[in-house]
Amino acid sequence: MTRQQFRLAEGGRIDRDRPLSFRFNGRAYQGYAGDTLASALLANGVHLVGRSFKYHRPRGIFSAGAEEPNAIIQLETGTRSQPDLRATQVELYEGLRAKSVNCWPSVRFDLAAINSRLAPLFPAGFYYKTFMWPGRAWHLYEAVIRRMAGLGVAPTGPDPDRYEKTHIHADVLVAGGGPAGLAAALAAARAGARVILADEQSAFGGQLLGNGESVDGKPGAEWAAAAAAELVDLPDATLLPRTTVIGYFDDNYLTLCERVTDHLGPAAPPELPRQRLWKVRARHVVLATGAHERPLVFQGNDRPGVMLASAAQSYVNRYAVRPGRRAVLCANNDSAYRAALDLQEAGVEIAAIADLRPAPDGAGVEAARAQGIEVLPGQAVVATQGGRHLTGVEIAPLSEDGNALAGPSSTEKCDLLCVSGAWNPAVHLFSQSRGKLRYDEGLACFVPGRSVQAERSAGACNGRFALADCLAEGHAAGTAAAAAAGHGDDSGPVPKAEAEPVGAIRAVPCVPSRSGRANKHFLDLQNDVTAADVALAAREGYRSVEHTKRYTTLGMGTDQGKTSNVTGLSVLAAALGRPVPEVGTTTFRPPYTPVTFGTIAGRDVGDLADPARMTPMHHWHVQVGAVFEDVGQWKRPYCYPRQGESKREAVDRECLAVRNAVGILDASTLGKIDIQGPDARKLLNMVYTNAWNKLEVGRCRYGLMLGEDGMIFDDGVTSRLAEDRYLMTTTTGNAARVLEWLEEWLQTEWPDWRVYCTSVTEQFATMTICGPKARDLLAELVDGLDLDPAAFPFMSWRAAAVAGVPARIFKISFTGENSYEINVPANYGMAVWSAIMNAGEKYGITPFGTEAMHVLRAEKGFIMVGQETDGTITPHDLGMDWAVSKTKDFLGKRSLARADTTRAGRKQLVGLLTEAADAVLPEGGQIVSELARKPPMDMIGHVTSSYYSAALGRSIALALIKGGRDRGGETVHVPLLDGSSIAATVTEPRFYDSEGERLRG
Amino acid sequence: MYSLPSFATLGAMHKYSIFSLARNAMGYHEDWTEAWRSPAPQPSYDVVIVGGGGHGLATAYYLAKEHGVTKVAVLEKGWLGGGNTGRNTTIIRSNYLWDESAALYEKSLQLYEGLSRDLNYNIMLSQRGVLNLAHTEHDLKEMSRRVHAIRLNGIDSDILSPAQVKAAVPIIDISPDARYPVLGASLQKRGGVARHDAVAWGFARAADSRGVDIIQNCEVTGIRRQGGRVEGVDTTRGFIAAKKVGVVVAGHASVLADMAGLRLPIESHPLQALVSEPIKPVIHTVVMSNTVHVYVSQSDKGELVIGAGIDAYTSYAQRGSFHIIEGQMGALIELFPIFSRLRMLRQWGGIVDVCPDASPIISKTPVEGLYFNCGWGTGGFKATPGSGWVFAHTVANDAPHPIAAPFALDRFTTGALIDEHGAAAVAH
Ligand SMILES: Cc1cc2nc3c(=O)[nH]c(=O)nc-3n(C[C@H](O)[C@H](O)[C@H](O)COP(=O)(O)OP(=O)(O)OC[C@H]3O[C@@H](n4cnc5c(N)ncnc54)[C@H](O)[C@@H]3O)c2cc1C
C-alpha cells in the first residue's frame, strides 16, 4: 500500500482518524473518511484515471464535482457494480473497489490509443462519409465500432438493492446548499415557510467547503454548518444532503434523487433504501445551483495534470491534497488567483500565472504578486507536454485580438496546470423550467433571463459570483419566496461577507496555437471533440448549434457538456463570425446529472411491477394445481390438469364434463358495473346497439358496444336489478376501459343525465355452474327458489340464498349448457365455492378453466371480443344483425352506414372444418383460396378461434373471411409457417346444438 | 458497383468515401464544402414542402430525383431534423399486419437498405433484428396472426420460443414467475435501427445537390388560396408563391391544416424517450414489449435507447410527464433486471401526430395543389424514405401513388380505416 504522499499534514474536511483502504485498478491505496475517490487518488499521486472515448487519450481528474468529464470509473463488480460514475462524486468507503473504464488491457497501456494516431482520419462525423463500401457491409464496421464504444459495463445480475419514493409539498424548495441556497433557506424558514433544501454534496456549504472564504466573520464552512444546524432545528425545514435536484417540470413539480446509502458501501444498513426519489410540488423554487468553472481551449488542454483552478483549490482546502508539486495557472479572470494563493500556501510551487488579460489588476492579482507569484499578463498556455502526465507547458503572448501569438513561447516545467476561463452559471434547472436564458457579454456566459414558473435564481447560478452578492441575493430570494407563499418577511439578518472588487474577464474562445490549427484543442474532453471539429461542422453547414452538437457529439457525453457546451458555442460563434446569442444554446434536458433507473422505478418492480388481481377462490385453484394465464391484470385458471395429464387432455376432460354432467367456472374476473339512476336505461340504450326499453326487472339481456367508428369494442350481459338499477358485465380485459367509456360520455356529452356507474367487479365472487346436472346441483343449495324454466327462465336472474349466503343467480349461458352464474359477496366466495364443490361431488362436478370455456363457446359459435373482433369488425360482419336496433340511436350507429362498412366483400364470420378431422388450424393462420408455391399470396381472411372439440371428436374453427357467408362449402387453405398448408371447408359458425335447446335448461 | 470517386458526377458536392476522407486528412479537413447550401428563398417555386424533417426532405429528394421536379423549396421553421426526426428511437421494421401497411413500410425498408449508397451518406442502417415479445395467451394469438400475414406478404418474420429469445438476448428475464413471463416473440431480422440525424442530413445533402433549396428558420404562417387552389405560403421570411404545397409537419399537421381551412382527424400527443449512459454492448437486437410496456435498443455509442407509449393528454409542448418515464423504468427492469443500476442520462419528448386508426395520411386535399403527409404518430421514422417516395409521386402527378392510395383522407368518411392499433404492438 502506498502512503498518501500528496496529503497535507493538516487541514481539510477529512477525518485523519478514520483511514479507509480502497483499490483502484487493482492496486491498494489508503484515503480518509471525507475523501472522494478522486481526492483519495490524488492524495496517492494517481492522476491517470481514464481514457477518452474516441482517441483513447490519457485523461486525468479535471474537476472536483458533478461536471467531471474525465474521471469515469466502474465501481465494484458483480450485481452491485455500477458503471460510469464520476470519481469526483464517489464518496470513499472502506473496501471500495473501482477501476477505469473503456481501456484495454489497462489505463496505462491502452491498445486503442492507436486511434489517436489515426485521428486525422477521424474528424467529426467521419462515419457519415465512409463505411458505405461494399454494399451492405456497414454491419461489419459497426461490429468493430460497437466493441470500441461504451464506457463501463452493466452489472452481472439483478439489483440486490431497494429504492423508495417520497411525495412532498413545500412552500419553498431551495435547490443547492451553497452560500446563496443556505441564505435563501434560512430566510424562508425563519419567516415560517415550509422549506426543503437539497444539495448534491454530503455537506452543505457548496463553494464555501473548498475556497476558504468567511461569512459573518466565521470561516465559510463553519458558517455553513451552523446555518444547516439552525435549519434542522426549525420545525418546517427539511434538509436533504446527497440529494440532487434532477428535473424541473411544469407547475413547479421537481424531482430529486437522494443517495441514501451509496456512501456507506457494503456497510449500508439493509433496512435503508439505496436511493430515494423525491417528488416535490413547490409553491416557489429558489435555484441556487452555483456555477461551473469554464475551461480554456488551447492545444493539448486534455492531459492528466490539467485541472480546473477551482478544483485544485478544493482539493487543497477541502481534502488537504496537493494536486501537484509545481503548478502553472492559466486564467482570464480573477478567481484563479485565490486558487493560486491557496495552492502556494499548501506547498505547491507556483511557477507562473499566465493571464490572458493584458493588464490584470484585481485584488487577487495584487495579492498573488505580493506573494511573489509571477503573473504573465496577456499570455496564455499555448501547448502542453507530457504523455500520461503533464511535464510542462508552453506559454506565449497573445495578439490583441486573441487570434494569433504575438511572440515566441517560453517553456515552463510543471506537473499541474490550473485553468480558469471564468464561470458558467448552472442554469440547467432554470432552463428545464422553460425560463429564457440571456447571454451576458461581460461574463461571456448564459444567465437566467425571464422566468416562466414561480422561481427565482440566486447567487452564482444567476451570474452573481461574489460571495457577498450570493448571500444577499439568496436571502432576498428566500424572503420573497416565503412572502409569496403567504408567510411574513421576518427572515432575519442578511449574512455578510467582505465584498472584493472583481476585475473583468477576457473571453478568448480558442487560444491560438503555433501551427494555426486547433485539432488538439479539446472542447469536450470525454468525447474528444476539438475546436477544429466544431469549425469543420460550421464549414460543412451544420450551423445550428443543435446540428453542431449532433454532428460532432459535443456535449453528448455523460457530463452532458457541463464543461464544454459554452466553450463549444463560443468556438462555433467565432467560426461563423456571429455573436454567441445569435447562435443560441442547446436545450438542457433532464436529468441534471444521471439518475439510476432503479430509483425512477422505485418499488414498482418484481411482485409490485403491476398488481396481480386474484379472485376470492384463487388459492383454491392454486391448491388443486391449476395452470394460470394472465388476462389483463387478472390471474385466471387456464385449466386444471390432473396428475400426468397434458393441458390438452385436461381441457378435453373439462369440456366433456360440462357437456355431460356439470362444470364450475370461476367467473369473478368479468367486469361488473353497477349502473343506477333514472337515466340508467337511457345510457344503456346509447352504449349498446340493441334496445333496452322493454327489459323488465329480473331479466337479463346480451348487448354489443361499438366504438365511434362502428366497430365492436365490448360485449356482455346486463341485468335489470330494480326500476332504475342495472348490473352490467364486461369482458375481463376491458372492464376498466368500458367504465372509462361510460364516464367519458356521461361527463362530456351527457353531464345532465342522472346516472351513476360504479365498478363492483371485486365486490362479488362469481361462479358459474353449467351442464345437464347444474339444475339438480343448484336445487340442493337453494331454498325456496323454483328452478323450473317456466318460473326461472333463461335470461333472467333471481335473488336467493345459496348455501345460506345471499346471492344473485343469473341464468345465462356462454357454454351453451344450462348455466347459473352465482354472485355472492366476495368474502363469501370461497365458502360458497366449497359448498358447491361438496354438493357437486356426486354429480361429478369438474372445475373448468378459460380454455375449456373458449372451446365450449366456440362449439356454439359465440364470439369472443378480442378474438373474433380486433377493432375492425362490425356486428353485421359477425352475423349479429339481430343485436342491432334499426330504430333507435346508439354510439357508432352513424359509422355503420359508411360506404366501407356497408360494402360487399367485407370479412364475415364463418366456421371452418378441416379436411383431416384431427388437424387443428393455428389461431391467427391466414386463409387463401388459392395456394401459390411461395409468398406473396392473396389473403382472404384469418382463423380467429381454433380448437379440438372433444364433444364433437374433431377440430373446429371460426374465421373471418371476405364475403364468407357466400362461400359456404368452399375449400380454403391455411398456409403454415413451415411451408405446408391445411385445407378446410367453409361452414356455418355453429357446431353444437345449433337449435339452442340445451341452454334453456 | 463501386467506382472511383468522381467529383464531376455530383456537381459541386464532394463525394464521400474513405479516399476523400484520407485526401482531406492531409489538408486537415479544411477543404470540405458545405453539405447543403443555405440559400435565401426565391419568390416562387413549383413545389414548396413545408417541414424539414426526414419525410419532407425525402419528398423533396425524390421529387428531384424520380420526377425531375427541381424547382423545390423545403421550408423548415427551426433546424433540419429538429422535430421528431431528431428525437425518435429510430426503430425500423416492416412487420405490419395489414396488406396496405405492409406494402408501405416494406417499400420504405427496401429503400432504406440501399439508402446510404443512394445518398452517398452513411445513415448507418443497422439490421440487428427487432423482437416483439409476447407475454400472454392473447399476445401469442396476435403474434401468430401477424407473423402468418407478414410471411404471406413476402416479408421476413419468425416466431421464437422463450428459449430462443433468451439465446438472442441473454440478459432478458424469461423466468416463468415474472409478473408477465415471456411466452415467445416474433422476430424481423431485417428490422433494426438507423442514425436519425444522418437520414435527415443525407436527404438534405442529396436533395440540395439536385437543386432543391433548403431553407431553415423559415416558419410557414399561412397558406394562401385562390378559388380553391393553393397559391403559396406566408412565412416569417415573406410570401413564397408555389404551384403546389406539400405539408409534412408531423405534430403540427393540424395547425397547418387549420391555415388552409381544413380539419384533420389527428391528435397531437407528447411521446418521450430517454437514453442511459453508454455501456459496453449488452443487447444486440431491438426488443419491444407491448404488455410490459417498453422498448429498448443499444446505440453504437453504447447508450440504451428506451421508449414506451404516448402521454395521454394532447399537447404541442415537446415535453411529457415524468410518471410515464417512471412506468417505463419499472417495465424495463422487469424485462432486464440487470439494468436497474444503470442511469438515465437524458430524457426528451416529441409531439406525435396520431390518427384514429394509427395509420398515416398521405393525401390530396379539397384544396387543389395542396397535399398532406402526416399522422405517422409514434412510428414514422421507419417510413421516412417510403413516405417521401410515395408522397413525391402523389405531389408530382397530382394523383396518389398506388401504395399511398389507401392512406387518403377520405378513408375517415368511408370508414376504410387501416387499424394498426391492435396489430402494431407498440407502434414504433
Ligand atoms: C420519442 C419518439 C420516439 C419515436 N420512435 C420511433 C421509432 O422508434 N421508430 C419510428 O419509426 N418512429 C418513431 N417515432 C416517430 C417518428 O419520429 C416520426 O413519425 C417521424 O420522424 C416523422 O417525421 P417527419 O419528417 O414527418 O416529422 P418531423 O421530423 O417532426 O418534421 C416536421 C418538421 O416540420 C417543421 N414544422 C412544423 N411546423 C412548421 C411550420 N409552420 N413551418 C415550417 N416548418 C414547420 C418542424 O419544425 C419539423 O422539423 C418516434 C417519435 C418520437 C417523438
Side-chain angles (χ1 to χ4, degrees):
Chain A
M1 192 171 300
T2 49
R3 65 195 172 79
Q4 304 177 41
Q5 65 272 42
F6 288 88
R7 185 74 73 181
L8 301 175
E10 53 190 47
R13 298 174 50 82
I14 48 161
D15 186 350
R16 288 181 177 75
D17 294 333
R18 283 178 57 208
L20 303 171
S21 2
F22 69 102
R23 282 179 169 270
F24 182 69
N25 284 336
R27 289 191 61 182
Y29 300 98
Q30 207 173 61
Y32 292 119
D35 262 326
T36 61
L37 175 58
S39 68
L41 286 170
L42 289 173
N44 288 284
V46 178
H47 288 264
L48 174 65
V49 293
R51 292 276 172 167
S52 61
F53 195 81
K54 189 167 157 193
Y55 301 141
H56 288 252
R57 288 171 64 93
R59 290 286 192 256
I61 294 163
F62 188 68
S63 76
E67 68 271 44
E68 179 61 34
N70 280 349
I72 305 301
I73 56 106
Q74 181 93 25
L75 187 66
E76 307 298 343
T77 53
T79 55
R80 283 213 157 85
S81 188
Q82 173 97 43
D84 301 350
L85 295 184
R86 302 157 165 83
T88 51
Q89 289 191 297
V90 174
E91 291 181 51
L92 200 63
Y93 54 79
E94 178 59 32
L96 178 150
R97 281 159 192 263
K99 59 177 196 240
S100 304
V101 298
N102 197 30
C103 47
W104 190 85
S106 78
V107 71
R108 292 187 65 76
F109 303 99
D110 181 7
L111 280 181
I114 181 78
N115 287 4
S116 192
R117 307 265 143 163
L118 299 174
L121 275 178
F122 300 156
F126 72 97
Y127 28 71
Y128 299 124
K129 295 188 174 120
T130 182
F131 303 136
M132 290 177 276
W133 182 89
R136 293 183 184 175
W138 163 242
H139 70 275
L140 300 175
Y141 299 107
E142 190 188 28
V144 177
I145 289 173
R146 276 175 94 82
R147 264 201 300 281
M148 302 278 303
L151 294 172
V153 297
T156 53
D159 193 340
D161 289 325
R162 197 161 48 79
Y163 303 85
E164 293 284 0
K165 291 183 189 176
T166 300
H167 298 249
I168 193 167
H169 288 264
D171 288 330
V172 183
L173 170 69
V174 182
L182 281 169
L186 272 179
R190 283 173 181 163
R194 198 169 166 200
V195 173
I196 298 175
L197 171 64
D199 192 285
E200 64 185 348
Q201 301 204 45
S202 55
F204 291 93
Q207 287 292 320
L208 294 175
L209 300 173
N211 70 5
E213 290 189 75
S214 301
V215 181
D216 286 344
K218 284 187 239 175
E222 238 173 71
W223 175 82
E230 181 183 341
L231 283 167
V232 168
D233 285 343
L234 285 168
D236 263 348
T238 304
L239 260 69
L240 299 173
R242 299 191 175 91
T243 303
T244 310
V245 181
I246 52 172
Y248 195 148
F249 303 94
D250 290 345
D251 302 315
N252 265 4
Y253 177 66
L254 294 95
T255 48
L256 283 55
C257 174
E258 179 187 7
R259 289 168 299 280
V260 183
T261 63
D262 280 353
H263 61 291
L264 300 174
E271 70 275 13
L272 289 182
R274 177 181 169 227
Q275 298 184 351
R276 179 183 287 122
L277 185 74
W278 292 75
K279 302 199 265 180
V280 181
R281 186 78 67 174
R283 284 222 169 99
H284 285 268
V285 172
V286 175
L287 297 175
T289 45
H292 298 133
E293 197 167 17
R294 198 156 56 220
L296 287 166
V297 181
F298 52 86
Q299 182 172 313
N301 58 346
D302 65 325
R303 290 192 205 289
V306 180
M307 189 182 279
L308 292 171
S310 59
Q313 192 183 15
S314 269
Y315 286 119
V316 166
N317 293 335
R318 178 169 177 184
Y319 301 103
V321 169
R322 266 185 298 142
R325 292 192 168 90
R326 183 178 154 86
V328 167
L329 283 87
C330 183
N332 68 357
N333 70 97
D334 282 353
S335 70
Y337 286 84
R338 287 283 155 216
L341 290 166
D342 290 354
L343 284 165
Q344 190 186 46
E345 198 179 317
V348 179
E349 186 187 342
I350 307 296
I353 302 182
D355 195 323
L356 276 65
R357 299 173 296 180
D361 59 358
V365 183
E366 292 319 316
R369 285 196 170 119
Q371 289 300 315
I373 296 177
E374 187 184 7
V375 177
L376 306 170
Q379 305 211 22
V381 170
V382 297
T384 62
Q385 296 154 355
R388 297 185 194 109
H389 197 114
L390 186 74
T391 56
V393 298
E394 280 178 47
I395 302 175
L398 297 186
S399 65
E400 211 167 303
D401 64 1
N403 290 334
L405 303 191
S409 60
S410 58
T411 303
E412 198 69 66
K413 291 228 162 313
C414 62
D415 61 351
L416 175 65
L417 170 59
C418 301
V419 294
S420 176
W423 295 81
N424 288 330
V427 291
H428 305 69
L429 294 173
F430 174 79
S431 171
Q432 284 182 32
S433 81
R434 286 179 297 130
K436 294 280 165 292
L437 295 172
R438 178 174 66 77
Y439 188 72
D440 186 311
E441 289 289 345
L443 301 172
C445 63
F446 288 94
V447 295
R450 188 167 48 79
S451 289
V452 172
Q453 304 202 40
E455 151 279 332
R456 321 176 133 71
S457 293
C461 75
N462 199 29
R464 307 296 294 271
F465 301 123
L467 177 56
D469 293 347
C470 290
L471 293 164
E473 207 170 68
H475 185 270
T479 308
H487 298 276
D489 55 3
D490 187 7
S491 56
V494 183
K496 292 268 179 315
E498 223 172 285
E500 187 175 272
V502 187
I505 72 166
R506 180 189 186 192
V508 174
C510 182
V511 174
S513 63
R514 228 173 308 138
S515 69
R517 282 186 287 277
N519 54 354
K520 293 268 159 41
H521 291 53
F522 288 91
L523 295 167
D524 185 321
L525 291 170
Q526 187 175 105
N527 280 351
D528 284 322
V529 180
T530 65
D533 288 325
V534 167
L536 174 65
R539 189 175 307 124
E540 294 195 273
Y542 302 93
R543 283 176 200 146
S544 146
V545 52
E546 280 287 349
H547 284 162
T548 309
K549 168 181 142 186
R550 288 155 182 256
Y551 191 64
T552 63
T553 73
L554 174 80
M556 300 192 74
T558 60
D559 55 318
Q560 290 287 286
K562 291 192 177 61
T563 57
S564 60
N565 278 343
V566 176
T567 46
L569 202 58
S570 312
V571 169
L572 176 64
L576 295 174
R578 284 161 54 190
V580 172
E582 256 182 45
V583 177
T585 177
T586 57
T587 320
F588 293 89
R589 302 189 190 286
Y592 169 66
T593 47
V595 50
T596 310
F597 287 164
T599 311
I600 303 175
R603 298 298 294 274
D604 298 343
V605 291
D607 286 346
L608 303 177
D610 196 34
R613 299 171 77 183
M614 289 167 237
T615 74
M617 290 81 87
H618 182 81
H619 296 286
W620 186 90
H621 306 314
V622 173
Q623 257 166 26
V624 301
V627 174
F628 289 88
E629 71 163 309
D630 289 301
V631 184
Q633 292 172 319
W634 288 98
K635 296 280 177 195
R636 297 198 76 177
Y638 174 93
C639 63
Y640 300 80
R642 290 183 180 155
Q643 197 80 49
E645 218 178 32
S646 70
K647 284 206 258 181
R648 160 91 183 265
E649 287 161 350
V651 171
D652 287 354
R653 172 179 51 73
E654 291 168 17
C655 287
L656 289 173
V658 174
R659 291 278 179 246
N660 299 328
V662 59
I664 180 166
L665 173 82
D666 181 351
S668 309
T669 63
L670 284 186
K672 294 180 271 299
I673 302 172
D674 192 320
I675 302 177
Q676 297 189 40
D679 291 321
R681 197 174 61 191
K682 223 155 112 188
L683 175 66
L684 295 178
N685 267 324
M686 282 308 288
V687 298
Y688 280 127
T689 55
N690 48 352
W692 292 77
N693 288 345
K694 296 198 181 119
L695 188 73
E696 290 156 22
V697 175
R699 302 294 305 214
C700 318
R701 181 163 292 169
Y702 173 83
L704 284 172
M705 263 181 219
L706 310 185
E708 288 142 313
D709 57 1
M711 304 301 151
I712 295 173
F713 142 68
D714 204 61
D715 71 346
V717 170
T718 292
S719 310
R720 190 162 187 187
L721 299 183
E723 197 49 40
D724 53 6
R725 182 173 184 195
Y726 295 82
L727 183 72
M728 173 184 279
T729 61
T730 74
T731 57
T732 298
N734 262 345
R737 236 164 292 156
V738 170
L739 183 59
E740 273 171 26
W741 178 245
L742 304 182
E743 286 293 345
E744 182 181 335
W745 284 94
L746 285 174
Q747 291 178 29
T748 60
E749 299 293 329
W750 310 316
D752 51 331
W753 289 15
R754 288 166 303 163
V755 51
Y756 295 92
C757 305
T758 310
S759 166
V760 293
T761 306
E762 300 201 330
Q763 278 59 41
F764 292 95
T766 305
M767 43 214 101
T768 306
I769 52 174
C770 50
K773 305 267 174 62
R775 185 167 140 194
D776 294 345
L777 169 58
L778 185 59
E780 291 192 23
L781 293 160
V782 289
D783 259 341
L785 179 64
D786 186 353
L787 294 180
D788 187 274
F792 185 5
F794 183 56
M795 296 308 275
S796 62
W797 74 274
R798 296 291 179 264
V802 177
V805 175
R808 292 184 189 132
I809 307 170
F810 298 85
K811 191 169 167 181
I812 56 182
S813 176
F814 193 38
T815 56
E817 297 297 328
N818 184 26
S819 294
Y820 302 94
E821 230 174 80
I822 302 164
N823 282 244
V824 296
N827 289 349
Y828 292 94
M830 195 53 237
V832 175
W833 180 277
S834 300
I836 297 175
M837 289 307 295
N838 289 337
E841 211 180 317
K842 59 178 170 295
Y843 300 105
I845 191 166
T846 303
F848 66 101
T850 49
E851 186 64 2
M853 174 184 80
H854 292 168
V855 178
L856 295 165
R857 63 89 206 173
E859 289 170 349
K860 288 286 300 173
F862 293 156
I863 64 142
M864 276 265 299
V865 167
Q867 249 172 276
E868 276 66 42
T869 71
D870 59 4
T872 70
I873 300 298
T874 69
H876 306 294
D877 299 339
L878 298 182
M880 295 175 78
D881 304 52
W882 54 265
V884 182
S885 161
K886 300 225 170 20
T887 48
K888 60 144 204 172
D889 196 12
F890 56 85
L891 297 179
K893 176 169 183 157
R894 197 181 55 175
S895 292
L896 289 181
R898 294 198 282 186
D900 190 74
T901 353
T902 52
R903 85 182 143 81
R906 283 183 64 87
K907 286 188 182 177
Q908 293 169 329
L909 185 69
V910 295
L912 287 182
L913 289 175
T914 52
E915 281 174 4
D918 58 349
V920 181
L921 293 166
E923 281 180 346
Q926 297 290 322
I927 299 162
V928 302
S929 31
E930 302 277 345
L931 280 173
R933 281 212 6 262
K934 61 182 190 26
M937 289 182 227
D938 257 350
M939 292 167 258
I940 58 169
H942 73 282
V943 179
T944 58
S945 295
S946 172
Y947 310 95
Y948 181 78
S949 160
L952 299 169
R954 60 154 301 131
S955 70
I956 55 166
L958 297 172
L960 285 162
I961 297 187
K962 289 180 186 165
R965 285 200 283 273
D966 298 331
R967 292 185 191 253
E970 244 179 59
T971 300
V972 295
H973 306 271
V974 177
L976 305 183
L977 297 179
D978 65 7
S980 67
S981 70
I982 300 178
T985 310
V986 178
T987 68
E988 284 288 308
R990 255 171 304 281
F991 307 98
Y992 188 81
D993 184 30
S994 47
E995 300 308 310
E997 292 306 321
R998 303 173 68 94
L999 49 67
R1000 297 184 186 276
Chain B
M1 274 310 295
Y2 185 70
S3 61
L4 279 174
S6 133
F7 295 104
T9 51
L10 286 167
M13 187 169 86
H14 256 85
K15 171 128 182 158
Y16 292 160
S17 72
I18 185 70
F19 302 108
S20 63
L21 253 184
R23 196 168 35 248
N24 273 283
M26 293 183 247
Y28 296 95
H29 300 285
E30 282 166 12
D31 301 325
W32 290 107
T33 51
E34 51 189 8
W36 55 80
R37 300 160 297 129
S38 299
Q42 297 172 33
S44 88
Y45 290 93
D46 288 343
V47 178
V48 158
I49 299 294
V50 187
H55 288 223
L57 292 164
T59 306
Y61 171 67
Y62 292 121
L63 270 173
K65 179 172 180 237
E66 301 297 325
H67 304 281
V69 185
T70 56
K71 204 156 182 268
V72 176
V74 177
L75 309 183
E76 165 54 49
K77 73 170 173 188
W79 40 281
L80 291 186
N84 294 342
T85 299
R87 293 163 189 271
N88 77 91
T89 46
T90 79
I91 297 171
I92 292 175
R93 57 187 181 86
S94 65
N95 54 356
Y96 278 70
L97 173 67
W98 302 108
D99 298 352
E100 297 85 349
S101 317
L104 178 58
Y105 290 101
E106 176 61 16
K107 171 73 192 170
S108 193
L109 179 50
Q110 287 175 9
L111 286 170
Y112 257 128
E113 287 174 326
L115 200 58
S116 290
R117 308 204 72 201
D118 185 35
L119 301 179
N120 180 232
Y121 202 101
N122 187 1
I123 57 116
M124 302 183 200
L125 175 69
S126 176
Q127 294 179 293
R128 44 191 56 259
V130 174
L131 271 176
N132 287 85
L133 301 179
H135 299 270
T136 65
E137 292 292 326
H138 186 258
D139 285 356
L140 284 174
K141 289 174 186 174
E142 279 283 328
M143 175 177 88
S144 162
R145 179 178 175 196
R146 290 179 58 192
V147 172
H148 279 91
I150 292 159
R151 281 274 196 95
L152 290 187
N153 270 322
I155 299 170
D156 77 296
S157 188
D158 291 285
I159 289 182
L160 268 52
S161 67
Q164 288 169 312
V165 170
K166 185 79 181 167
V169 187
I171 59 169
I172 204 166
D173 181 7
I174 60 159
S175 81
D177 8 288
R179 176 65 187 89
Y180 293 106
V182 174
L183 302 182
S186 68
L187 169 67
Q188 183 176 26
K189 292 198 185 102
R190 285 163 63 237
V193 290
R195 177 90 186 100
H196 53 18
D197 293 327
V199 172
W201 299 340
F203 271 122
R205 173 169 168 270
D208 173 272
S209 81
R210 290 180 181 271
V212 172
D213 282 357
I214 292 166
I215 301 163
Q216 302 184 67
N217 300 310
C218 179
E219 178 171 357
V220 171
T221 53
I223 296 176
R224 279 204 210 166
R225 288 157 293 153
Q226 174 75 49
R229 248 212 89 80
V230 78
E231 281 195 309
V233 291
D234 291 308
T235 77
T236 46
R237 296 171 71 172
F239 174 72
I240 300 174
K243 297 195 184 101
K244 293 176 176 177
V245 174
V247 182
V248 204
V249 295
H252 287 80
S254 330
V255 178
L256 272 287
D258 191 46
M259 293 179 195
L262 305 172
R263 282 193 75 198
L264 297 178
I266 280 190
E267 283 186 4
S268 291
H269 288 265
L271 176 67
Q272 306 183 67
L274 61 97
V275 294
S276 73
E277 294 177 294
I279 52 167
K280 290 288 170 195
V282 284
I283 176 164
H284 301 276
T285 39
V286 182
V287 177
M288 313 179 71
S289 167
N290 199 26
T291 298
V292 182
H293 205 57
V294 74
Y295 60 88
V296 61
S297 66
Q298 188 170 16
S299 75
D300 287 346
K301 199 172 171 210
E303 298 168 339
L304 299 174
V305 182
I306 298 159
I310 57 172
D311 278 50
Y313 61 85
T314 53
S315 167
Y316 288 120
Q318 285 170 322
R319 51 205 261 131
S321 303
F322 191 68
H323 72 266
I324 303 280
I325 305 276
E326 295 180 86
Q328 207 162 308
M329 287 298 100
L332 180 77
I333 295 169
E334 268 305 282
L335 289 179
F336 304 100
I338 74 162
F339 286 170
S340 171
R341 295 175 91 83
L342 302 182
R343 301 193 297 178
M344 174 168 83
L345 178 59
R346 191 168 64 239
Q347 69 165 94
W348 65 90
I351 295 301
V352 295
D353 38 342
V354 181
C355 270
D357 59 354
S359 284
I361 296 168
I362 310 166
S363 188
K364 298 174 64 169
T365 68
V367 180
E368 224 182 301
L370 179 66
Y371 310 84
F372 265 80
N373 181 354
C374 57
W376 294 94
T378 59
F381 177 69
K382 66 177 73 64
T384 305
S387 158
W389 180 276
V390 298
F391 195 50
H393 177 109
T394 305
V395 173
N397 299 301
D398 191 36
H401 185 281
I403 291 180
F407 296 93
L409 256 176
D410 66 358
R411 76 175 188 275
F412 299 102
T413 358
T414 64
L417 303 178
I418 303 159
D419 194 319
E420 287 288 349
H421 278 296
V426 197
H428 294 281

